[in-house]
Amino acid sequence: MLVPEIHTRPQKGYRNLPPPYIGSPTNLESPCEEQNVIFVESSIPVSGITECQTLCKVAKSCEFFTFNSGNCGIRTYSPNAYVNGSPLQKLGTKTDILSPILDGKVFVGQAIEIFGGNSLDCQRSCQQDFNCISWTWNEAGGLNPEICVHNYGITQRKLTVPTASNIISGPKF
């Protein structure tokens, strides 16, 4: 019988990374999980992606920005990974709009593959990452199957996603 293991995708950056092995998956659900929800930071309505980039340029703490359907998110952490997201999602920095190269991608604090895992395994890995504030578990069948995302930004709101997204989110503790 094969025993599933938890693997990480090491990423470069100055942030502390989770350990390469955090134990065998529990395949249990987190008691704090919220199904069909993504925890996100704040966003500002803007007229276009260039206005969003301008806001990033003038904000000292801006590391990168997200733009989606007229909303601009100024992000203040240095991402270590990216995952698949809405096809409308665009990314940029103070100096570059990363389109079309990263269209439909979302920068995240960390993305970890957990084969055979579940939401509790994702929460446990977040708890071992000093910079992780919340987590998003992507169940099999979604855009990012069996990927645990560590969110490094402060949660300002919760977005409801379709059930078919197979997404579950929760707080670090």
Side-chain angles (χ1 to χ4, degrees):
M1 179 174 143
L2 294 175
V3 177
E5 294 183 4
I6 298 175
H7 300 275
T8 64
R9 292 183 186 159
Q11 304 290 325
K12 293 182 180 181
Y14 69 87
R15 301 217 176 254
N16 296 330
L17 299 178
Y21 180 76
I22 60 171
S24 296
T26 65
N27 201 24
L28 298 174
E29 295 178 0
S30 167
C32 327
E33 74 178 39
E34 295 185 39
Q35 293 196 5
N36 309 316
V37 170
I38 298 176
F39 290 19
V40 296
E41 296 149 271
S42 64
S43 63
I44 305 162
V46 295
S47 61
I49 194 167
T50 52
E51 183 180 358
C52 189
Q53 183 180 31
T54 300
L55 291 173
C56 183
K57 285 178 183 178
V58 300
K60 274 189 176 179
S61 61
C62 181
E63 292 287 330
F64 69 96
F65 66 87
T66 63
F67 178 79
N68 190 335
S69 303
N71 291 303
C72 176
I74 301 298
R75 304 297 180 243
T76 59
Y77 63 90
S78 184
N80 292 302
Y82 64 86
V83 295
N84 296 313
S86 162
L88 303 175
Q89 183 77 35
K90 298 193 182 305
L91 298 168
T93 65
K94 291 178 189 271
T95 57
D96 294 304
I97 295 174
L98 305 173
S99 185
I101 300 166
L102 292 176
D103 286 358
K105 304 295 183 195
V106 179
F107 282 149
V108 296
Q110 188 63 262
I112 300 168
E113 250 176 330
I114 305 177
F115 300 111
N118 208 332
S119 60
L120 183 60
D121 302 305
C122 187
Q123 182 179 22
R124 284 177 43 216
S125 71
C126 175
Q127 290 170 349
Q128 294 184 26
D129 182 347
F130 177 79
N131 297 299
C132 185
I133 293 172
S134 66
W135 51 269
T136 302
W137 173 243
N138 295 268
E139 294 179 305
L143 286 175
N144 303 289
E146 296 190 310
I147 298 290
C148 174
V149 171
H150 292 186
N151 303 311
Y152 287 0
I154 296 170
T155 302
Q156 298 291 324
R157 57 197 172 103
K158 299 175 184 180
L159 296 179
T160 302
V161 296
T163 304
S165 300
N166 295 327
I167 289 176
I168 301 168
S169 295
K172 183 173 192 170
F173 294 104

PDB file of all heavy atoms in Angstrom, residues 97-121:
ATOM      1  N   ILE A  97       3.867  45.537 -15.946  1.00  0.00           N
ATOM      2  CA  ILE A  97       2.584  44.840 -15.972  1.00  0.00           C
ATOM      3  C   ILE A  97       2.895  43.471 -16.563  1.00  0.00           C
ATOM      4  O   ILE A  97       3.396  43.368 -17.678  1.00  0.00           O
ATOM      5  CB  ILE A  97       1.546  45.615 -16.808  1.00  0.00           C
ATOM      6  CG1 ILE A  97       1.238  46.942 -16.123  1.00  0.00           C
ATOM      7  CG2 ILE A  97       0.289  44.777 -16.995  1.00  0.00           C
ATOM      8  CD1 ILE A  97       0.332  47.864 -16.913  1.00  0.00           C
ATOM      9  N   LEU A  98       2.657  42.429 -15.807  1.00  0.00           N
ATOM     10  CA  LEU A  98       3.091  41.075 -16.175  1.00  0.00           C
ATOM     11  C   LEU A  98       2.047  40.371 -17.046  1.00  0.00           C
ATOM     12  O   LEU A  98       1.668  39.241 -16.790  1.00  0.00           O
ATOM     13  CB  LEU A  98       3.398  40.274 -14.912  1.00  0.00           C
ATOM     14  CG  LEU A  98       4.415  40.926 -13.979  1.00  0.00           C
ATOM     15  CD1 LEU A  98       4.542  40.154 -12.684  1.00  0.00           C
ATOM     16  CD2 LEU A  98       5.762  41.074 -14.663  1.00  0.00           C
ATOM     17  N   SER A  99       1.587  41.069 -18.046  1.00  0.00           N
ATOM     18  CA  SER A  99       0.560  40.555 -18.931  1.00  0.00           C
ATOM     19  C   SER A  99       1.142  40.470 -20.344  1.00  0.00           C
ATOM     20  O   SER A  99       1.911  41.343 -20.732  1.00  0.00           O
ATOM     21  CB  SER A  99      -0.633  41.510 -18.911  1.00  0.00           C
ATOM     22  OG  SER A  99      -1.697  41.027 -19.656  1.00  0.00           O
ATOM     23  N   PRO A 100       0.859  39.495 -21.096  1.00  0.00           N
ATOM     24  CA  PRO A 100      -0.047  38.373 -20.849  1.00  0.00           C
ATOM     25  C   PRO A 100       0.628  37.178 -20.182  1.00  0.00           C
ATOM     26  O   PRO A 100      -0.002  36.159 -19.960  1.00  0.00           O
ATOM     27  CB  PRO A 100      -0.513  38.002 -22.253  1.00  0.00           C
ATOM     28  CG  PRO A 100       0.682  38.274 -23.119  1.00  0.00           C
ATOM     29  CD  PRO A 100       1.343  39.490 -22.488  1.00  0.00           C
ATOM     30  N   ILE A 101       1.901  37.299 -19.833  1.00  0.00           N
ATOM     31  CA  ILE A 101       2.676  36.175 -19.300  1.00  0.00           C
ATOM     32  C   ILE A 101       1.982  35.485 -18.121  1.00  0.00           C
ATOM     33  O   ILE A 101       1.886  34.269 -18.077  1.00  0.00           O
ATOM     34  CB  ILE A 101       4.086  36.642 -18.870  1.00  0.00           C
ATOM     35  CG1 ILE A 101       4.841  37.215 -20.054  1.00  0.00           C
ATOM     36  CG2 ILE A 101       4.872  35.518 -18.220  1.00  0.00           C
ATOM     37  CD1 ILE A 101       6.074  37.999 -19.680  1.00  0.00           C
ATOM     38  N   LEU A 102       1.501  36.272 -17.161  1.00  0.00           N
ATOM     39  CA  LEU A 102       0.902  35.688 -15.962  1.00  0.00           C
ATOM     40  C   LEU A 102      -0.608  35.942 -15.852  1.00  0.00           C
ATOM     41  O   LEU A 102      -1.161  35.868 -14.771  1.00  0.00           O
ATOM     42  CB  LEU A 102       1.620  36.218 -14.715  1.00  0.00           C
ATOM     43  CG  LEU A 102       3.063  35.750 -14.551  1.00  0.00           C
ATOM     44  CD1 LEU A 102       3.716  36.402 -13.342  1.00  0.00           C
ATOM     45  CD2 LEU A 102       3.141  34.238 -14.438  1.00  0.00           C
ATOM     46  N   ASP A 103      -1.260  36.219 -16.964  1.00  0.00           N
ATOM     47  CA  ASP A 103      -2.721  36.371 -16.924  1.00  0.00           C
ATOM     48  C   ASP A 103      -3.345  35.089 -16.384  1.00  0.00           C
ATOM     49  O   ASP A 103      -2.935  33.977 -16.747  1.00  0.00           O
ATOM     50  CB  ASP A 103      -3.283  36.664 -18.312  1.00  0.00           C
ATOM     51  CG  ASP A 103      -3.007  38.087 -18.771  1.00  0.00           C
ATOM     52  OD1 ASP A 103      -2.415  38.865 -17.990  1.00  0.00           O
ATOM     53  OD2 ASP A 103      -3.387  38.419 -19.911  1.00  0.00           O
ATOM     54  N   GLY A 104      -4.316  35.237 -15.512  1.00  0.00           N
ATOM     55  CA  GLY A 104      -4.987  34.075 -14.934  1.00  0.00           C
ATOM     56  C   GLY A 104      -4.228  33.436 -13.791  1.00  0.00           C
ATOM     57  O   GLY A 104      -4.618  32.388 -13.292  1.00  0.00           O
ATOM     58  N   LYS A 105      -3.140  34.062 -13.356  1.00  0.00           N
ATOM     59  CA  LYS A 105      -2.353  33.540 -12.230  1.00  0.00           C
ATOM     60  C   LYS A 105      -2.526  34.463 -11.024  1.00  0.00           C
ATOM     61  O   LYS A 105      -2.838  35.643 -11.156  1.00  0.00           O
ATOM     62  CB  LYS A 105      -0.865  33.457 -12.572  1.00  0.00           C
ATOM     63  CG  LYS A 105      -0.558  32.640 -13.806  1.00  0.00           C
ATOM     64  CD  LYS A 105      -0.903  31.190 -13.638  1.00  0.00           C
ATOM     65  CE  LYS A 105      -0.511  30.392 -14.885  1.00  0.00           C
ATOM     66  NZ  LYS A 105      -1.121  29.100 -14.927  1.00  0.00           N
ATOM     67  N   VAL A 106      -2.298  33.918  -9.838  1.00  0.00           N
ATOM     68  CA  VAL A 106      -2.386  34.678  -8.596  1.00  0.00           C
ATOM     69  C   VAL A 106      -1.104  34.436  -7.807  1.00  0.00           C
ATOM     70  O   VAL A 106      -0.754  33.284  -7.541  1.00  0.00           O
ATOM     71  CB  VAL A 106      -3.605  34.229  -7.747  1.00  0.00           C
ATOM     72  CG1 VAL A 106      -3.679  34.988  -6.445  1.00  0.00           C
ATOM     73  CG2 VAL A 106      -4.896  34.378  -8.536  1.00  0.00           C
ATOM     74  N   PHE A 107      -0.396  35.515  -7.453  1.00  0.00           N
ATOM     75  CA  PHE A 107       0.756  35.377  -6.563  1.00  0.00           C
ATOM     76  C   PHE A 107       0.255  35.026  -5.165  1.00  0.00           C
ATOM     77  O   PHE A 107      -0.754  35.567  -4.700  1.00  0.00           O
ATOM     78  CB  PHE A 107       1.545  36.684  -6.474  1.00  0.00           C
ATOM     79  CG  PHE A 107       2.447  36.958  -7.649  1.00  0.00           C
ATOM     80  CD1 PHE A 107       2.686  38.263  -8.034  1.00  0.00           C
ATOM     81  CD2 PHE A 107       3.071  35.947  -8.337  1.00  0.00           C
ATOM     82  CE1 PHE A 107       3.527  38.547  -9.100  1.00  0.00           C
ATOM     83  CE2 PHE A 107       3.913  36.209  -9.409  1.00  0.00           C
ATOM     84  CZ  PHE A 107       4.140  37.523  -9.786  1.00  0.00           C
ATOM     85  N   VAL A 108       0.964  34.136  -4.492  1.00  0.00           N
ATOM     86  CA  VAL A 108       0.598  33.720  -3.137  1.00  0.00           C
ATOM     87  C   VAL A 108       1.858  33.653  -2.272  1.00  0.00           C
ATOM     88  O   VAL A 108       2.978  33.620  -2.782  1.00  0.00           O
ATOM     89  CB  VAL A 108      -0.125  32.350  -3.135  1.00  0.00           C
ATOM     90  CG1 VAL A 108      -1.456  32.441  -3.869  1.00  0.00           C
ATOM     91  CG2 VAL A 108       0.734  31.249  -3.724  1.00  0.00           C
ATOM     92  N   GLY A 109       1.639  33.604  -0.969  1.00  0.00           N
ATOM     93  CA  GLY A 109       2.766  33.492  -0.055  1.00  0.00           C
ATOM     94  C   GLY A 109       3.548  32.214  -0.299  1.00  0.00           C
ATOM     95  O   GLY A 109       4.767  32.217  -0.413  1.00  0.00           O
ATOM     96  N   GLN A 110       2.828  31.104  -0.414  1.00  0.00           N
ATOM     97  CA  GLN A 110       3.454  29.801  -0.625  1.00  0.00           C
ATOM     98  C   GLN A 110       2.404  28.862  -1.199  1.00  0.00           C
ATOM     99  O   GLN A 110       1.216  28.992  -0.903  1.00  0.00           O
ATOM    100  CB  GLN A 110       3.986  29.254   0.697  1.00  0.00           C
ATOM    101  CG  GLN A 110       4.810  28.002   0.592  1.00  0.00           C
ATOM    102  CD  GLN A 110       6.076  28.200  -0.192  1.00  0.00           C
ATOM    103  OE1 GLN A 110       6.117  27.874  -1.372  1.00  0.00           O
ATOM    104  NE2 GLN A 110       7.103  28.736   0.425  1.00  0.00           N
ATOM    105  N   ALA A 111       2.812  27.906  -2.011  1.00  0.00           N
ATOM    106  CA  ALA A 111       1.919  26.871  -2.550  1.00  0.00           C
ATOM    107  C   ALA A 111       2.580  25.523  -2.324  1.00  0.00           C
ATOM    108  O   ALA A 111       3.712  25.306  -2.748  1.00  0.00           O
ATOM    109  CB  ALA A 111       1.656  27.105  -4.035  1.00  0.00           C
ATOM    110  N   ILE A 112       1.869  24.637  -1.640  1.00  0.00           N
ATOM    111  CA  ILE A 112       2.438  23.342  -1.260  1.00  0.00           C
ATOM    112  C   ILE A 112       1.524  22.225  -1.743  1.00  0.00           C
ATOM    113  O   ILE A 112       0.320  22.269  -1.503  1.00  0.00           O
ATOM    114  CB  ILE A 112       2.585  23.259   0.275  1.00  0.00           C
ATOM    115  CG1 ILE A 112       3.507  24.373   0.750  1.00  0.00           C
ATOM    116  CG2 ILE A 112       3.094  21.891   0.708  1.00  0.00           C
ATOM    117  CD1 ILE A 112       3.507  24.570   2.232  1.00  0.00           C
ATOM    118  N   GLU A 113       2.094  21.244  -2.413  1.00  0.00           N
ATOM    119  CA  GLU A 113       1.337  20.076  -2.828  1.00  0.00           C
ATOM    120  C   GLU A 113       1.216  19.122  -1.653  1.00  0.00           C
ATOM    121  O   GLU A 113       2.220  18.772  -1.027  1.00  0.00           O
ATOM    122  CB  GLU A 113       2.081  19.366  -3.962  1.00  0.00           C
ATOM    123  CG  GLU A 113       1.409  19.488  -5.270  1.00  0.00           C
ATOM    124  CD  GLU A 113       2.235  18.850  -6.381  1.00  0.00           C
ATOM    125  OE1 GLU A 113       3.478  18.815  -6.300  1.00  0.00           O
ATOM    126  OE2 GLU A 113       1.603  18.393  -7.330  1.00  0.00           O
ATOM    127  N   ILE A 114      -0.015  18.693  -1.346  1.00  0.00           N
ATOM    128  CA  ILE A 114      -0.233  17.718  -0.281  1.00  0.00           C
ATOM    129  C   ILE A 114      -1.019  16.560  -0.887  1.00  0.00           C
ATOM    130  O   ILE A 114      -2.240  16.604  -0.987  1.00  0.00           O
ATOM    131  CB  ILE A 114      -0.990  18.318   0.925  1.00  0.00           C
ATOM    132  CG1 ILE A 114      -0.265  19.551   1.460  1.00  0.00           C
ATOM    133  CG2 ILE A 114      -1.143  17.268   2.022  1.00  0.00           C
ATOM    134  CD1 ILE A 114      -0.985  20.254   2.607  1.00  0.00           C
ATOM    135  N   PHE A 115      -0.297  15.535  -1.322  1.00  0.00           N
ATOM    136  CA  PHE A 115      -0.928  14.385  -1.957  1.00  0.00           C
ATOM    137  C   PHE A 115      -1.747  13.605  -0.935  1.00  0.00           C
ATOM    138  O   PHE A 115      -1.236  13.231   0.110  1.00  0.00           O
ATOM    139  CB  PHE A 115       0.130  13.463  -2.577  1.00  0.00           C
ATOM    140  CG  PHE A 115       0.957  14.140  -3.630  1.00  0.00           C
ATOM    141  CD1 PHE A 115       2.298  14.408  -3.419  1.00  0.00           C
ATOM    142  CD2 PHE A 115       0.385  14.516  -4.830  1.00  0.00           C
ATOM    143  CE1 PHE A 115       3.061  15.031  -4.389  1.00  0.00           C
ATOM    144  CE2 PHE A 115       1.143  15.144  -5.815  1.00  0.00           C
ATOM    145  CZ  PHE A 115       2.484  15.397  -5.583  1.00  0.00           C
ATOM    146  N   GLY A 116      -3.017  13.378  -1.238  1.00  0.00           N
ATOM    147  CA  GLY A 116      -3.869  12.603  -0.342  1.00  0.00           C
ATOM    148  C   GLY A 116      -4.264  13.349   0.914  1.00  0.00           C
ATOM    149  O   GLY A 116      -4.726  12.745   1.872  1.00  0.00           O
ATOM    150  N   GLY A 117      -4.104  14.666   0.925  1.00  0.00           N
ATOM    151  CA  GLY A 117      -4.416  15.445   2.121  1.00  0.00           C
ATOM    152  C   GLY A 117      -5.823  16.003   2.129  1.00  0.00           C
ATOM    153  O   GLY A 117      -6.661  15.652   1.309  1.00  0.00           O
ATOM    154  N   ASN A 118      -6.037  16.907   3.086  1.00  0.00           N
ATOM    155  CA  ASN A 118      -7.326  17.560   3.230  1.00  0.00           C
ATOM    156  C   ASN A 118      -7.104  18.904   3.914  1.00  0.00           C
ATOM    157  O   ASN A 118      -5.951  19.303   4.148  1.00  0.00           O
ATOM    158  CB  ASN A 118      -8.290  16.668   4.017  1.00  0.00           C
ATOM    159  CG  ASN A 118      -9.743  16.919   3.659  1.00  0.00           C
ATOM    160  OD1 ASN A 118     -10.114  18.013   3.250  1.00  0.00           O
ATOM    161  ND2 ASN A 118     -10.580  15.903   3.817  1.00  0.00           N
ATOM    162  N   SER A 119      -8.179  19.565   4.278  1.00  0.00           N
ATOM    163  CA  SER A 119      -8.075  20.920   4.810  1.00  0.00           C
ATOM    164  C   SER A 119      -7.290  21.000   6.122  1.00  0.00           C
ATOM    165  O   SER A 119      -6.589  21.979   6.361  1.00  0.00           O
ATOM    166  CB  SER A 119      -9.462  21.541   4.978  1.00  0.00           C
ATOM    167  OG  SER A 119     -10.260  20.799   5.858  1.00  0.00           O
ATOM    168  N   LEU A 120      -7.373  19.987   6.970  1.00  0.00           N
ATOM    169  CA  LEU A 120      -6.616  20.027   8.226  1.00  0.00           C
ATOM    170  C   LEU A 120      -5.114  19.982   7.956  1.00  0.00           C
ATOM    171  O   LEU A 120      -4.335  20.660   8.629  1.00  0.00           O
ATOM    172  CB  LEU A 120      -7.034  18.896   9.162  1.00  0.00           C
ATOM    173  CG  LEU A 120      -6.351  18.891  10.536  1.00  0.00           C
ATOM    174  CD1 LEU A 120      -6.635  20.193  11.301  1.00  0.00           C
ATOM    175  CD2 LEU A 120      -6.776  17.687  11.354  1.00  0.00           C
ATOM    176  N   ASP A 121      -4.707  19.221   6.952  1.00  0.00           N
ATOM    177  CA  ASP A 121      -3.290  19.166   6.589  1.00  0.00           C
ATOM    178  C   ASP A 121      -2.815  20.536   6.112  1.00  0.00           C
ATOM    179  O   ASP A 121      -1.713  20.969   6.431  1.00  0.00           O
ATOM    180  CB  ASP A 121      -3.064  18.126   5.494  1.00  0.00           C
ATOM    181  CG  ASP A 121      -3.531  16.750   5.910  1.00  0.00           C
ATOM    182  OD1 ASP A 121      -3.084  16.266   6.967  1.00  0.00           O
ATOM    183  OD2 ASP A 121      -4.357  16.169   5.192  1.00  0.00           O
TER     184      ASP A 121
END
